[in-house]
Amino acid sequence: MKPGKTGIYRMIDATGYSVMGLKSAWKSEAAFRQECVMAFVLVITAYFIPVTSIERILMIGSLGLVLIVELLNSAIEAAIDRIGDEWHVYSKKAKDIGSSSVLFSIVLTLFVWVSCVVNIK
């Protein structure tokens, strides 16, 4: 194990790094900002739709998944951009796969929301 902070002090540092990452994503990633605003609106909306608690959890959880995947995609893009500006087939592949994962999470969220709303009686 490498030397450094442990226990609660490590957790406090890790939380600080996480907050810095969220601030950085908010500041530099338009897609993340758009998805956060959409998630905020939809979370509020979820409480006005007459669905079961489990359905509401799935609806809100799927929104969280979109934000998580977008953060991971942004991290991949930042790492690739750090390597260099020149075009490379592997850089393109990494960015395209990251983007595809965001699309897949959005399609999954759409499926969850439609499935829950269609079941309203």
Side-chain angles (χ1 to χ4, degrees):
M1 191 159 130
K2 67 180 183 177
K5 295 182 179 178
T6 60
I8 190 73
Y9 298 108
R10 185 196 61 76
M11 291 172 53
I12 290 169
D13 281 357
T15 301
Y17 299 139
S18 297
V19 169
M20 286 190 300
L22 287 171
K23 286 180 180 178
S24 176
W26 181 266
K27 183 178 180 181
S28 64
E29 299 295 330
F32 181 69
R33 288 192 302 273
Q34 293 164 353
E35 291 159 354
C36 282
V37 170
M38 185 60 69
F40 178 77
V41 169
L42 289 174
V43 166
I44 293 170
T45 303
Y47 283 96
F48 291 100
I49 300 173
V51 294
T52 67
S53 295
I54 297 298
E55 289 171 327
R56 188 170 291 113
I57 288 167
L58 289 170
M59 292 165 73
I60 294 170
S62 67
L63 295 170
L65 179 66
V66 170
L67 297 177
I68 290 167
V69 174
E70 182 62 49
L71 287 169
L72 293 171
N73 181 51
S74 296
I76 291 168
E77 289 184 353
I80 295 299
D81 290 345
R82 165 65 175 89
I83 293 170
D85 291 335
E86 69 279 350
W87 185 91
H88 192 280
V89 66
Y90 292 142
S91 297
K92 179 180 179 350
K93 183 177 180 179
K95 287 184 171 194
D96 289 349
I97 291 171
S99 180
S100 295
S101 65
V102 174
L103 175 63
F104 186 74
S105 70
I106 291 170
V107 169
L108 178 63
T109 298
L110 183 61
F111 174 75
V112 168
W113 277 72
V114 169
S115 296
C116 291
V117 171
V118 166
N119 285 328
I120 295 176
K121 294 174 177 68

